[in-house]
Amino acid sequence: TSQIVGNDLIFTCENEVTLKLSFPQASILRIRMSKVPNPRPSIMVDLGYVKEILEETSFDLIETGEEYRISTQNLVVSVSKNDAQIQLFDKELNCFLKTCESAPPQIGKGSMLNFDMDSQEHFYGFGFQRKTFDAKGHKLTFTRNYRWNEATTPYFLSTAGYGFFSANTFDQTFDFTGEDTYSVFAKDGHVDCFILYGPEFKDILNLYTALTGRPVMVPKWAMGVCYIARCFENDEGLLKIARRLR
């Protein structure tokens, strides 16, 4: 069954999974999946680190015997009635992302989403991580700890023209080691992710920073001396540096 509540398009599935789709902006699709009808909001959203709405976005809904088709100014989304497979298209109806038909979402204590992966598709991002430049062929983990060799943010960009951001704050694994599919596994919580359509990287990044916030420009006086702290054997070393900076 389907219903529209506020800005959400809600599907209730036979396996007790509730699927919610919404559009924070005409180029952004938010996907939420849970076995709880009204799950607790993501901490990121609840504390205001992620915006739920960037601008009021209208959408058209068409229902056929096989699917629901939802359209905004920039996106077309198809949801299969048979297995809730989700496909995303641009306005020319070129499919740039779809969930894997042979491996449907696993929703329960944790969650796993599986997506088709093109042989020429590559993935970049994950914040301050030094494990790899291109994530294809790799498995990256995200935890809420200080990280430097794995994913520090649950966000990546695809050369297929979209970005993926997960608002789930539990431990997650992004696995790009498959031949033609990749998966996003969360240890707990609910599926709460944002698909950002560019298709250019600069457009995807602009949508991402609009969603998660941008840094404030510091005042001119802060653009002065930049010094990385060191250790000195005696006071003269410290005073020498102070005199030099002065």
Side-chain angles (χ1 to χ4, degrees):
T1 61
S2 67
Q3 59 178 322
I4 298 175
V5 179
N7 296 312
D8 297 329
L9 179 56
I10 303 174
F11 300 95
T12 303
C13 307
E14 289 182 348
N15 59 358
E16 300 180 344
V17 170
T18 298
L19 166 65
K20 290 185 180 181
L21 302 181
S22 60
F23 298 92
Q25 195 252 29
S27 296
I28 302 176
L29 170 66
R30 184 182 184 186
I31 302 173
R32 284 169 285 179
M33 301 183 77
S34 172
K35 283 199 172 183
V36 179
N38 294 297
R40 181 178 177 180
S42 162
I43 294 176
M44 294 188 191
V45 174
D46 208 25
L47 296 181
Y49 292 107
V50 176
K51 301 178 181 68
E52 291 191 284
I53 299 177
L54 296 180
E55 60 187 31
E56 290 296 330
T57 302
S58 60
F59 60 84
D60 296 322
L61 173 63
I62 298 175
E63 180 181 355
T64 69
E66 298 178 350
E67 66 172 0
Y68 295 95
R69 182 156 289 212
I70 312 104
S71 303
T72 71
Q73 182 180 348
N74 300 329
L75 291 176
V76 177
V77 181
S78 169
V79 179
S80 168
K81 287 186 173 181
N82 181 50
D83 56 6
Q85 182 188 29
I86 300 173
Q87 301 184 69
L88 283 84
F89 304 83
D90 61 20
K91 292 305 290 184
E92 284 69 45
L93 296 183
N94 299 306
C95 182
F96 61 86
L97 178 65
K98 62 180 176 179
T99 55
C100 182
E101 188 174 4
S102 60
Q106 300 176 25
I107 309 297
K109 173 65 175 176
S111 64
M112 178 178 285
L113 296 177
N114 299 280
F115 298 92
D116 286 359
M117 179 174 62
D118 187 84
S119 60
Q120 301 301 314
E121 191 173 3
H122 297 273
F123 307 90
Y124 306 95
F126 295 105
F128 181 68
Q129 60 91 10
R130 300 179 181 178
K131 187 172 184 178
T132 180
F133 180 61
D134 181 356
K136 189 166 188 177
H138 296 270
K139 184 185 295 185
L140 297 171
T141 60
F142 164 80
T143 64
R144 291 178 295 175
N145 296 319
Y146 172 74
R147 313 298 300 281
W148 64 271
N149 196 38
E150 293 279 350
T152 59
T153 59
Y155 164 72
F156 65 84
L157 304 90
S158 164
T159 53
Y162 66 89
F164 181 99
F165 172 67
S166 173
N168 185 311
T169 53
F170 287 91
D171 292 358
Q172 295 177 72
T173 301
F174 297 83
D175 189 350
F176 301 96
T177 59
E179 291 187 6
D180 52 11
T181 64
Y182 71 86
S183 65
V184 179
F185 169 75
K187 194 173 183 180
D188 207 332
H190 315 289
V191 172
D192 191 351
C193 62
F194 296 79
I195 310 298
L196 311 100
Y197 176 67
E200 302 298 327
F201 272 16
K202 63 179 181 179
D203 300 319
I204 300 170
L205 285 168
N206 189 53
L207 290 173
Y208 173 66
T209 56
L211 194 70
T212 59
R214 300 183 174 113
V216 177
M217 177 64 75
V218 299
K220 286 184 178 180
W221 59 262
M223 297 291 191
V225 173
C226 179
Y227 177 66
I228 300 175
R230 292 177 55 193
C231 296
F232 297 95
E233 295 180 355
N234 52 53
D235 59 345
E236 180 54 32
L238 178 61
L239 293 172
K240 183 178 179 180
I241 287 291
R243 286 193 292 268
R244 179 181 174 189
L245 295 181
R246 181 175 293 173

